[in-house]
């Protein structure tokens, strides 16, 4: 299917290896999977973007409850549409890879959970976070009272300066104690 | 003898003692000696060697971890049968105050804040009331010919709950809510834990008899258990499913101040309350379960994935290569594990059944 044009140049491959937590194999595989998502015309333009819906069709992302936020966080698009270039895609895979540090993962987790992108996790962000977990339909969601109870528990435990929101360092403090966090924050192709 | 772990409860244990408890004990005329533990297992060794005739009670002011050391230290003694009858007192001062919360609950009082819990437990201590308590004998089996045996007073957990216990222990928050941001993150990639679970159900018709002491190793014989490398006895029930989200075996009512996991349990009911959740439960239902556990209403929830049954002994053989098993909130060696209850062999400073406190907050 004329894939020679979409092979990764050796010097770029080395550069990507240096800049990310990914191995050579992982980068090559990522390139192959990314190219498959591109339409025929897009394959030959210099820095193509894959629209968000296409990214979301990847099996590794499809069942992730935060898939949309993940795309938004890693997208460098001026139009804020969640579309990804290959380098955005690599950044995403790098942060979610086996070798990424706790610091990196918790930093990105925070940004992903910060639905209104205002730099802190407030009640509204937490509510959206829980709703992502519980599902789209009314009957799977928590009731208002349950939500209130849950959010107040989380804030009680994580909001150290008691300002009603969880900032990055409070979040990282809480997450760093979770032995399972690193292994659950993973996407591997 | 009063044992305090200075690192417990965000380092607050000692100041909680001097701030609240010390003057209570002095006012009530209760002589006491404070021992500050220096390291892990210090308490265990101390208690193993101590001359117990000197002490009216051993009081732990810390989380459940220190009590775990004391109980096991006592059971390792040659004279364990008398030693374990030394009244044990617990004052909340650490992160895991499940037993203190359970005792407070059994006295019929309303759920309270951590400071009030401390005062109320201190009050019980001064009154010198005692009660019998169940212990469970837990066998861990990396080498079935020589299993490790521990004594447990609270719980055995595997799966989702075990993870939460382990994390929260590190938060060192007195009375903190046990499910949190970490729970939500792990809910996102909810795991299934594979294993084989079997148990000996309570036989209503039989009257429970206390164990007689003629063991070759110290401690009561575990007459209900067969070695871990042999199949379970024929009167045991083997759970058909092999995919679980969590398994929790409790012999007291509370897993934490706000995790009221076994509402029907009492101090010496001679029972293990077994709760397990089968795989297939939705995240919402699991969240609801934890929310309901705060108030103890989770058993009434009619969640089809939740099973509750009362047993005298159980065995778990995990199949997943990696995982966490906790006994009384402490991580233990991962592998096959079995346990049986020994009813009422320990003595606890706690109101006996039927006692109702008059006014725990006002001292004469």
């Amino acid at each position: 299917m004329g894939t020679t044009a979409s092979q990764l140049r050796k010097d770029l491959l080395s550069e990507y290896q240096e800049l990310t937590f990914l191995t050579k194999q992982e980068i090559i595989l990522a390139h192959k999977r990314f190219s498959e998502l591109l339409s025929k015309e897009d394959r030959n333009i210099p820095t193509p973007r894959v629209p968000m819906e296409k990214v979301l069709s990847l099996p590794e992302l499809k069942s992730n409850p935060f898939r949309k936020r993940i795309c938004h966080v890693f997208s460098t698009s001026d139009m804020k549409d969640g579309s990804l270039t290959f380098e955005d895609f690599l950044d995403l895979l790098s942060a979610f890879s086996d070798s990424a540090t706790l610091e990196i993962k918790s930093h990105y987790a925070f940004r992903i959970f910060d639905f209104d992108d205002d730099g802190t996790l407030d009640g509204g962000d937490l509510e959206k976070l829980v709703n992502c977990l519980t599902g789209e339909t009314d009957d799977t969601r928590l009731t208002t009272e349950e939500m209130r109870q849950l959010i107040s528990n989380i804030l009680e435990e994580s909001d150290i300066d008691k300002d009603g929101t969880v900032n990055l360092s409070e979040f990282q403090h809480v997450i760093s104690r979770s032995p399972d966090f690193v292994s659950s924050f993973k996407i591997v192709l | 003898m009063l044992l305090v772990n200075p690192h417990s409860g965000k380092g607050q244990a000692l100041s909680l003692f001097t701030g609240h408890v010390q003057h209570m004990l002095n006012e009530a005329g209760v002589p006491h000696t404070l021992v500050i533990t220096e390291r892990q297992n210090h308490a265990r060794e101390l208690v193993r060697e101590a001359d117990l005739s000197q002490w009216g009670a051993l009081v732990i002011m810390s989380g459940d971890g220190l009590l775990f050391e004391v109980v096991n230290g006592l059971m390792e003694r040659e004279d364990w049968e008398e030693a374990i009858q030394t009244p044990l007192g617990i004052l909340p001062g650490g992160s895991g105050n499940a037993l203190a919360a359970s005792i407070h609950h059994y006295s019929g009082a309303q759920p309270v804040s951590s400071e009030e819990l401390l005062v109320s437990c201190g009050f019980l201590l001064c009154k010198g009331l005692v009660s019998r308590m169940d212990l469970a004998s837990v066998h861990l089996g990396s080498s079935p010919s020589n299993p490790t045996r521990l004594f447990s007073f609270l719980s055995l957990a595997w799966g989702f709950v075990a993870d939460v216990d382990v994390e929260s222990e590190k938060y060192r928050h007195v009375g903190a809510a046990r499910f949190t941001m970490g729970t939500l993150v792990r809910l996102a990639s909810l795991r299934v834990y594979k294993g084989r679970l079997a148990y000996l159900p309570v036989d209503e018709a039989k009257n429970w008899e206390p164990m007689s002491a003629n063991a070759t190793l110290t401690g009561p014989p575990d007459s209900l258990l067969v070695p871990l490398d042999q199949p379970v006895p024929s009167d045991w029930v083997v759970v058909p499913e092999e995919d679980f989200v969590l398994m929790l075996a409790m012999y007291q009512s509370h897993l934490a101040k706000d995790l009221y996991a076994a509402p029907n349990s009492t101090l010496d009911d001679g029972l293990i309350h077994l709760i397990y959740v089968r795989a297939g439960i939705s995240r919402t239902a699991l969240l609801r379960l934890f929310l309901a556990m705060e108030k103890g209403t989770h058993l009434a929830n009619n969640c089809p994935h939740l099973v509750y049954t009362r047993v005298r002994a159980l065995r778990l053989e995990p199949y997943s290569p990696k995982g966490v098993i906790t006994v009384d909130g402490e991580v233990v060696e991962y592998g096959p594990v079995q346990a049986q209850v020994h009813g009422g062999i320990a003595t606890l400073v706690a109101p006996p059944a039927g006692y109702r406190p008059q006014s725990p907050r006002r001292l004469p």
Side-chain angles (χ1 to χ4, degrees):
Chain A
M1 290 203 68
T3 50
T4 44
S6 58
Q7 254 172 26
L8 207 43
R9 282 169 23 215
K10 274 218 170 81
D11 55 338
L12 272 183
L13 182 58
S14 305
E15 198 181 309
Y16 288 147
Q17 209 187 345
E18 260 180 70
L19 293 172
T20 68
F21 289 103
L22 301 169
T23 64
K24 267 206 176 101
Q25 258 93 323
E26 289 171 331
I27 298 170
I28 293 171
L29 177 58
H31 190 254
K32 173 172 176 295
R33 299 290 300 278
F34 185 79
S35 307
E36 286 163 5
L37 294 175
L38 289 171
S39 61
K40 274 217 188 106
E41 314 84 60
D42 281 346
R43 263 176 221 171
N44 292 315
I45 65 177
T47 44
R49 286 188 163 276
V50 172
M52 184 166 74
E53 310 76 58
K54 279 251 165 116
V55 179
L56 296 181
S57 70
L58 284 171
E60 294 86 350
L61 274 180
K62 220 163 36 172
S63 48
N64 187 311
F66 304 110
R67 55 191 179 277
K68 288 196 182 145
R69 277 299 298 164
I70 290 171
C71 287
H72 278 290
V73 165
F74 288 95
S75 168
T76 53
S77 158
D78 295 325
M79 306 215 282
K80 307 270 179 232
D81 59 3
S83 60
L84 302 182
T85 62
F86 179 59
E87 293 189 354
D88 294 342
F89 188 55
L90 280 186
D91 279 339
L92 189 163
L93 291 174
S94 174
F96 279 93
S97 75
D98 259 325
S99 343
T101 60
L102 174 62
E103 174 115 29
I104 295 278
K105 286 187 192 267
S106 57
H107 174 90
Y108 278 107
F110 183 79
R111 285 187 55 198
I112 289 166
F113 296 158
D114 184 14
F115 284 77
D116 54 13
D117 286 313
D118 68 351
T120 63
L121 304 183
D122 56 22
D125 292 321
L126 292 176
E127 187 167 336
K128 296 210 181 75
L129 168 54
V130 174
N131 281 334
C132 276
L133 288 174
T134 55
E136 313 283 285
T137 56
D138 274 341
D139 55 336
T140 56
R141 291 193 162 186
L142 292 183
T143 65
T144 326
E145 179 51 38
E146 288 168 336
M147 181 69 76
R148 191 207 55 79
Q149 187 189 352
L150 184 53
I151 291 179
S152 109
N153 278 344
I154 294 176
L155 285 178
E156 188 193 317
E157 181 254 352
S158 330
D159 182 15
I160 296 166
D161 61 9
K162 303 290 169 216
D163 66 349
T165 69
V166 179
N167 62 33
L168 177 61
S169 49
E170 286 165 342
F171 180 78
Q172 285 180 312
H173 176 80
V174 157
I175 285 295
S176 69
R177 309 301 185 115
S178 175
D180 228 24
F181 172 70
V182 168
S183 50
S184 52
F185 199 79
K186 228 173 16 175
I187 294 174
V188 176
L189 292 179
Chain B
M1 195 200 299
L2 235 135
L3 292 147
V4 177
N5 176 354
H7 299 298
S8 189
K10 271 180 152 173
Q12 283 179 350
L14 200 50
S15 54
L16 281 173
F17 171 70
T18 50
H20 287 88
V21 183
Q22 191 172 38
H23 102 94
M24 241 182 160
L25 292 175
N26 289 335
E27 286 235 350
V30 177
H32 54 278
T33 305
L34 181 66
V35 173
I36 298 181
T37 60
E38 291 155 19
R39 56 188 156 74
Q40 193 160 50
N41 283 326
H42 180 198
R44 190 165 177 160
E45 290 158 19
L46 207 70
V47 153
R48 205 159 51 202
E49 310 296 323
D51 172 11
L52 293 175
S53 60
Q54 283 187 56
W55 307 103
L58 293 170
V59 179
I60 289 89
M61 178 142 191
S62 180
D64 299 316
L66 199 54
L67 183 61
F68 182 80
E69 280 192 26
V70 169
V71 165
N72 280 280
L74 289 173
M75 293 305 279
E76 284 166 4
R77 296 167 61 112
E78 285 281 319
D79 60 351
W80 63 270
E81 212 179 349
E82 291 82 44
I84 196 64
Q85 288 181 42
T86 311
L88 300 173
I90 184 141
L91 293 174
S95 52
N97 298 307
L99 190 59
S102 302
I103 294 170
H104 184 84
H105 162 72
Y106 300 141
S107 72
Q110 295 303 313
V112 293
S113 75
S114 15
E115 297 239 313
E116 290 169 315
L117 186 58
L118 178 62
V119 169
S120 142
C121 287
F123 180 69
L124 291 175
L125 192 63
C126 292
K127 284 218 140 188
L129 298 164
V130 296
S131 173
R132 317 277 290 176
M133 176 170 85
D134 295 341
L135 289 185
S137 165
V138 177
H139 291 249
L140 307 167
S142 61
S143 54
S145 49
N146 188 21
T148 317
R149 178 161 87 157
L150 306 162
F151 285 90
S152 160
F153 54 88
L154 193 64
S155 63
L156 175 65
W158 173 64
F160 199 84
V161 180
D163 293 349
V164 176
D165 267 2
V166 170
E167 292 162 30
S168 303
E169 189 63 42
K170 293 179 184 174
Y171 295 149
R172 300 238 172 260
H173 231 117
V174 175
R178 285 299 179 118
F179 62 97
T180 61
M181 195 74 79
T183 311
L184 287 189
V185 168
R186 286 193 347 275
L187 257 187
S189 52
L190 188 55
R191 274 181 62 178
V192 163
Y193 300 82
K194 283 179 146 350
R196 184 108 268 199
L197 181 61
Y199 56 85
L200 177 62
V202 166
D203 183 358
E204 305 286 25
K206 269 196 247 168
N207 268 330
W208 201 87
E209 274 147 28
M211 294 285 140
S212 58
N214 58 350
T216 45
L217 28 84
T218 59
D222 292 320
S223 56
L224 299 175
L225 301 178
V226 301
L228 271 169
D229 54 356
Q230 288 176 25
V232 291
S234 52
D235 54 352
W236 283 44
V237 170
V238 178
V239 173
E241 296 90 343
E242 295 185 354
D243 296 318
F244 300 91
V245 166
L246 67 93
M247 184 222 71
L248 182 60
M250 304 225 27
Y251 357 112
Q252 304 303 337
S253 61
H254 284 66
L255 252 190
K257 189 171 87 55
D258 22 36
L259 268 188
Y260 182 19
N264 302 318
S265 180
T266 60
L267 263 185
D268 61 345
D269 55 12
L271 299 173
I272 297 177
H273 300 259
L274 179 62
I275 295 171
Y276 63 87
V277 176
R278 294 187 285 238
I281 191 171
S282 71
R283 291 183 188 117
T284 310
L286 192 58
L287 259 181
R288 285 219 165 98
L289 216 57
F290 276 103
L291 284 171
M293 235 192 250
E294 263 194 39
K295 309 212 167 47
T297 55
H298 52 294
L299 297 180
N301 257 3
N302 290 322
C303 172
H305 294 91
L306 175 77
V307 175
Y308 165 66
T309 181
R310 294 190 277 188
V311 309
R312 297 239 190 258
L314 63 102
R315 176 191 290 189
L316 171 70
E317 288 160 287
Y319 294 157
S320 324
K322 283 200 318 177
V324 172
I325 294 179
T326 63
V327 170
D328 295 351
E330 309 271 314
V331 179
V332 297
E333 189 189 334
Y334 183 73
V337 61
Q338 59 182 0
Q340 79 158 74
V341 68
H342 290 277
I345 67 174
T347 306
L348 197 69
V349 175
Y355 171 83
R356 286 285 171 270
Q358 279 125 21
S359 139
R361 263 154 260 173
R362 271 187 235 273
L363 281 187

